Amino acid sequence: MKPTELSIGNLVVITDKVVKVEQITKHKIGYHTKSNETRMNYARLCEIEPIPITEELLLKCGFDESCDEVYEREDFEITKEGDEWWVSWNGGCDYWFAIKHLHQLQNAYYLVTGKELEIKL
């Protein structure tokens, strides 16, 4: 992954464990393994794995399935076409773009709404 793909608060996988990005540098990220931990842990970008978008994950992000493979939340709509997920907002078909991973959805949601995407993992 590239550091420009990530934002503070993104969820990623490091050594089979989901962690929240707390700090981003040119070659690594900082994260905590426990919520009350004060010591920052670091992982190189090559050690980070993105979390793939799934139907189950979208439901944990507060999206509702409105019909087969169409998920909605507020002004967002996510549609699955084959192996690809497509995001639209404000109900406008002019704004479609493809995503594959949770951090991409988190970033898009924040850019459009100004709010963090709540995820119940």
Side-chain angles (χ1 to χ4, degrees):
M1 295 183 89
K2 298 175 184 173
T4 55
E5 295 178 51
L6 295 171
S7 296
I8 302 297
N10 284 162
L11 297 180
V12 295
V13 174
I14 299 171
T15 319
D16 297 327
K17 188 172 192 171
V18 175
V19 300
K20 182 189 277 189
V21 175
E22 302 285 341
Q23 185 179 50
I24 304 169
T25 69
K26 188 174 179 179
H27 299 290
K28 52 189 170 178
I29 66 152
Y31 64 97
H32 293 107
T33 55
K34 298 175 187 163
S35 60
N36 60 350
E37 185 176 41
T38 56
R39 182 182 162 271
M40 186 78 70
N41 298 291
Y42 292 92
R44 293 187 316 255
L45 292 172
C46 63
E47 298 173 308
I48 300 168
E49 295 179 38
I51 300 171
I53 296 288
T54 63
E55 290 94 345
E56 180 183 353
L57 182 60
L58 290 175
L59 295 174
K60 289 179 178 182
C61 291
F63 285 85
D64 294 317
E65 187 172 10
S66 61
C67 59
D68 287 341
E69 299 185 336
V70 176
Y71 297 83
E72 296 178 336
R73 177 182 170 150
E74 297 172 4
D75 290 336
F76 265 72
E77 180 178 295
I78 299 177
T79 305
K80 186 173 185 181
E81 293 182 15
D83 292 336
E84 293 187 316
W85 292 96
W86 290 88
V87 176
S88 174
W89 64 91
N90 294 328
C93 59
D94 294 338
Y95 304 110
W96 289 95
F97 62 94
I99 62 170
K100 293 182 180 180
H101 303 108
L102 178 58
H103 70 277
Q104 295 169 318
L105 176 57
Q106 288 179 282
N107 294 342
Y109 188 84
Y110 183 79
L111 286 171
V112 172
T113 67
K115 297 183 274 185
E116 298 291 334
L117 180 64
E118 293 180 34
I119 305 164
K120 297 176 183 168
L121 290 180

